[in-house]
Short mmCIF file of all heavy atoms in Angstrom, two decimals:
data_model
loop_
_atom_site.label_atom_id
_atom_site.label_comp_id
_atom_site.label_asym_id
_atom_site.label_seq_id
_atom_site.Cartn_x
_atom_site.Cartn_y
_atom_site.Cartn_z
N HIS A 111 -52.17 -44.44 -174.74
CA HIS A 111 -52.44 -43.38 -173.81
C HIS A 111 -52.31 -42.02 -174.33
O HIS A 111 -52.72 -41.01 -173.69
CB HIS A 111 -51.58 -43.52 -172.52
CG HIS A 111 -51.90 -44.81 -171.75
ND1 HIS A 111 -53.05 -45.02 -171.10
CD2 HIS A 111 -51.13 -45.95 -171.57
CE1 HIS A 111 -52.98 -46.18 -170.48
NE2 HIS A 111 -51.86 -46.76 -170.77
N ASN A 112 -51.86 -41.85 -175.56
CA ASN A 112 -51.70 -40.52 -176.19
C ASN A 112 -52.11 -40.66 -177.60
O ASN A 112 -51.37 -41.02 -178.50
CB ASN A 112 -50.27 -40.01 -176.06
CG ASN A 112 -50.09 -38.65 -176.52
OD1 ASN A 112 -51.03 -37.94 -176.58
ND2 ASN A 112 -48.87 -38.25 -177.00
N PRO A 113 -53.36 -40.30 -177.99
CA PRO A 113 -54.38 -39.77 -177.08
C PRO A 113 -54.92 -40.90 -176.23
O PRO A 113 -54.58 -42.03 -176.38
CB PRO A 113 -55.49 -39.32 -178.06
CG PRO A 113 -55.32 -40.12 -179.24
CD PRO A 113 -53.80 -40.39 -179.37
N SER A 114 -55.79 -40.50 -175.25
CA SER A 114 -56.18 -41.44 -174.16
C SER A 114 -57.27 -42.48 -174.68
O SER A 114 -58.37 -42.13 -174.98
CB SER A 114 -56.79 -40.72 -173.02
OG SER A 114 -57.20 -41.57 -172.01
N ARG A 115 -56.78 -43.65 -174.88
CA ARG A 115 -57.62 -44.81 -175.28
C ARG A 115 -58.49 -44.60 -176.47
O ARG A 115 -59.78 -44.52 -176.30
CB ARG A 115 -58.46 -45.33 -174.08
CG ARG A 115 -57.73 -45.72 -172.85
CD ARG A 115 -56.66 -46.87 -173.04
NE ARG A 115 -57.11 -48.04 -173.51
CZ ARG A 115 -57.59 -49.10 -172.76
NH1 ARG A 115 -57.49 -48.96 -171.50
NH2 ARG A 115 -57.91 -50.23 -173.30
N PRO A 116 -57.89 -44.28 -177.64
CA PRO A 116 -58.80 -43.93 -178.77
C PRO A 116 -59.58 -45.19 -179.25
O PRO A 116 -59.15 -46.33 -178.99
CB PRO A 116 -57.80 -43.54 -179.83
CG PRO A 116 -56.53 -44.26 -179.47
CD PRO A 116 -56.54 -44.29 -177.94
N TRP A 117 -60.69 -45.01 -179.93
CA TRP A 117 -61.47 -46.14 -180.40
C TRP A 117 -60.63 -47.10 -181.36
O TRP A 117 -60.76 -48.29 -181.32
CB TRP A 117 -62.71 -45.77 -181.13
CG TRP A 117 -62.51 -44.98 -182.37
CD1 TRP A 117 -62.44 -43.63 -182.49
CD2 TRP A 117 -62.34 -45.54 -183.73
NE1 TRP A 117 -62.25 -43.27 -183.86
CE2 TRP A 117 -62.16 -44.45 -184.57
CE3 TRP A 117 -62.30 -46.79 -184.27
CZ2 TRP A 117 -61.89 -44.55 -185.99
CZ3 TRP A 117 -62.05 -46.88 -185.64
CH2 TRP A 117 -61.86 -45.80 -186.45
N TRP A 118 -59.64 -46.51 -182.07
CA TRP A 118 -58.90 -47.22 -183.09
C TRP A 118 -57.82 -48.17 -182.52
O TRP A 118 -57.23 -48.91 -183.23
CB TRP A 118 -58.39 -46.39 -184.19
CG TRP A 118 -57.79 -45.08 -183.76
CD1 TRP A 118 -58.39 -43.79 -183.79
CD2 TRP A 118 -56.42 -44.91 -183.29
NE1 TRP A 118 -57.46 -42.87 -183.41
CE2 TRP A 118 -56.39 -43.44 -183.12
CE3 TRP A 118 -55.36 -45.67 -183.05
CZ2 TRP A 118 -55.12 -42.88 -182.59
CZ3 TRP A 118 -54.17 -45.13 -182.48
CH2 TRP A 118 -54.08 -43.76 -182.34
N GLU A 119 -57.60 -48.04 -181.23
CA GLU A 119 -56.61 -48.95 -180.66
C GLU A 119 -57.05 -50.42 -180.76
O GLU A 119 -56.23 -51.34 -180.85
CB GLU A 119 -56.28 -48.66 -179.16
CG GLU A 119 -57.40 -49.07 -178.11
CD GLU A 119 -56.90 -48.89 -176.74
OE1 GLU A 119 -56.14 -47.98 -176.41
OE2 GLU A 119 -57.36 -49.82 -175.89
N ARG A 120 -58.42 -50.62 -180.88
CA ARG A 120 -58.98 -52.01 -181.06
C ARG A 120 -58.50 -52.65 -182.38
O ARG A 120 -58.66 -53.88 -182.58
CB ARG A 120 -60.49 -51.95 -180.98
CG ARG A 120 -61.12 -51.55 -179.69
CD ARG A 120 -60.94 -52.60 -178.59
NE ARG A 120 -61.87 -53.73 -178.76
CZ ARG A 120 -62.98 -53.87 -178.11
NH1 ARG A 120 -63.44 -52.91 -177.35
NH2 ARG A 120 -63.69 -54.94 -178.30
N TYR A 121 -58.02 -51.80 -183.29
CA TYR A 121 -57.67 -52.20 -184.65
C TYR A 121 -56.14 -52.37 -184.74
O TYR A 121 -55.58 -52.44 -185.90
CB TYR A 121 -58.21 -51.30 -185.70
CG TYR A 121 -59.76 -51.46 -185.78
CD1 TYR A 121 -60.55 -50.65 -184.94
CD2 TYR A 121 -60.26 -52.34 -186.67
CE1 TYR A 121 -61.92 -50.91 -184.96
CE2 TYR A 121 -61.62 -52.53 -186.76
CZ TYR A 121 -62.46 -51.81 -185.86
OH TYR A 121 -63.82 -51.94 -185.84
N GLN A 122 -55.51 -52.42 -183.59
CA GLN A 122 -54.04 -52.72 -183.51
C GLN A 122 -53.69 -53.87 -182.67
O GLN A 122 -53.39 -53.80 -181.45
CB GLN A 122 -53.27 -51.46 -183.02
CG GLN A 122 -53.56 -50.21 -183.83
CD GLN A 122 -52.40 -49.23 -183.80
OE1 GLN A 122 -51.26 -49.56 -183.47
NE2 GLN A 122 -52.70 -48.00 -184.07
N PRO A 123 -53.79 -55.10 -183.23
CA PRO A 123 -53.68 -56.40 -182.50
C PRO A 123 -52.22 -56.53 -181.94
O PRO A 123 -51.19 -56.12 -182.51
CB PRO A 123 -53.94 -57.46 -183.54
CG PRO A 123 -54.70 -56.76 -184.62
CD PRO A 123 -54.19 -55.41 -184.66
N ILE A 124 -52.21 -57.25 -180.77
CA ILE A 124 -50.93 -57.69 -180.17
C ILE A 124 -50.89 -59.25 -180.12
O ILE A 124 -49.81 -59.84 -180.27
CB ILE A 124 -50.84 -57.15 -178.71
CG1 ILE A 124 -50.68 -55.58 -178.69
CG2 ILE A 124 -49.67 -57.82 -177.95
CD1 ILE A 124 -49.45 -55.08 -179.46
N SER A 125 -52.02 -59.82 -179.94
CA SER A 125 -52.21 -61.26 -180.01
C SER A 125 -53.58 -61.69 -180.38
O SER A 125 -54.45 -60.81 -180.57
CB SER A 125 -51.77 -61.88 -178.68
OG SER A 125 -52.90 -61.76 -177.76
N TYR A 126 -53.91 -62.92 -180.45
CA TYR A 126 -55.23 -63.43 -180.62
C TYR A 126 -55.90 -63.91 -179.41
O TYR A 126 -56.94 -64.67 -179.48
CB TYR A 126 -55.25 -64.51 -181.73
CG TYR A 126 -54.69 -63.99 -183.03
CD1 TYR A 126 -53.70 -64.68 -183.76
CD2 TYR A 126 -55.16 -62.80 -183.60
CE1 TYR A 126 -53.21 -64.21 -185.01
CE2 TYR A 126 -54.55 -62.27 -184.76
CZ TYR A 126 -53.71 -62.98 -185.46
OH TYR A 126 -53.22 -62.46 -186.69
N LYS A 127 -55.40 -63.53 -178.22
CA LYS A 127 -56.06 -63.88 -177.03
C LYS A 127 -57.32 -63.00 -176.93
O LYS A 127 -57.40 -61.79 -177.43
CB LYS A 127 -55.10 -63.50 -175.75
CG LYS A 127 -53.91 -64.28 -175.69
CD LYS A 127 -53.07 -63.80 -174.54
CE LYS A 127 -51.79 -64.53 -174.35
NZ LYS A 127 -50.95 -64.01 -173.21
N LEU A 128 -58.36 -63.51 -176.32
CA LEU A 128 -59.63 -62.82 -176.18
C LEU A 128 -59.75 -62.02 -174.91
O LEU A 128 -60.16 -62.50 -173.84
CB LEU A 128 -60.84 -63.76 -176.29
CG LEU A 128 -60.86 -64.64 -177.56
CD1 LEU A 128 -62.06 -65.56 -177.55
CD2 LEU A 128 -60.81 -63.79 -178.83
N CYS A 129 -59.18 -60.83 -174.97
CA CYS A 129 -59.30 -59.91 -173.76
C CYS A 129 -59.12 -58.51 -174.25
O CYS A 129 -58.00 -58.19 -174.87
CB CYS A 129 -58.38 -60.34 -172.59
SG CYS A 129 -56.68 -60.34 -173.01
N THR A 130 -60.09 -57.67 -174.07
CA THR A 130 -59.99 -56.25 -174.41
C THR A 130 -60.63 -55.41 -173.32
O THR A 130 -61.06 -56.05 -172.31
CB THR A 130 -60.83 -56.01 -175.69
OG1 THR A 130 -62.15 -56.23 -175.42
CG2 THR A 130 -60.40 -56.90 -176.89
N ARG A 131 -60.79 -54.08 -173.55
CA ARG A 131 -61.50 -53.29 -172.50
C ARG A 131 -62.90 -53.69 -172.44
O ARG A 131 -63.64 -53.23 -171.48
CB ARG A 131 -61.23 -51.82 -172.82
CG ARG A 131 -61.89 -51.32 -174.13
CD ARG A 131 -61.48 -50.01 -174.46
NE ARG A 131 -61.70 -48.95 -173.48
CZ ARG A 131 -61.57 -47.70 -173.69
NH1 ARG A 131 -61.17 -47.19 -174.83
NH2 ARG A 131 -61.82 -46.85 -172.73
N SER A 132 -63.44 -54.46 -173.36
CA SER A 132 -64.86 -54.95 -173.31
C SER A 132 -65.01 -56.13 -172.43
O SER A 132 -66.14 -56.49 -172.00
CB SER A 132 -65.40 -55.29 -174.73
OG SER A 132 -65.44 -54.12 -175.53
N GLY A 133 -63.91 -56.89 -172.10
CA GLY A 133 -64.11 -58.10 -171.26
C GLY A 133 -63.03 -59.11 -171.65
O GLY A 133 -62.29 -58.97 -172.56
N ASN A 134 -63.05 -60.19 -170.87
CA ASN A 134 -62.10 -61.30 -171.04
C ASN A 134 -62.80 -62.46 -171.87
O ASN A 134 -63.99 -62.35 -172.18
CB ASN A 134 -61.51 -61.79 -169.70
CG ASN A 134 -62.58 -62.31 -168.84
OD1 ASN A 134 -63.60 -62.81 -169.13
ND2 ASN A 134 -62.35 -62.11 -167.47
#
C-alpha cells in the first residue's frame, strides 16, 4: 500500500496459489 499497489508487487511471492489482482 505504500506506494499504492505498485506493478512490482507481482514479483514478490507469498505462495504458489493462483490468485492475484488479475483474478483467481
Side-chain angles (χ1 to χ4, degrees):
H111 294 293
N112 185 23
S114 179
R115 305 302 301 269
W117 64 267
W118 41 261
E119 73 171 38
R120 296 288 286 263
Y121 291 84
Q122 299 209 23
I124 294 298
S125 79
Y126 299 132
K127 295 177 182 178
L128 301 182
C129 57
T130 67
R131 65 191 304 188
S132 295
N134 59 31

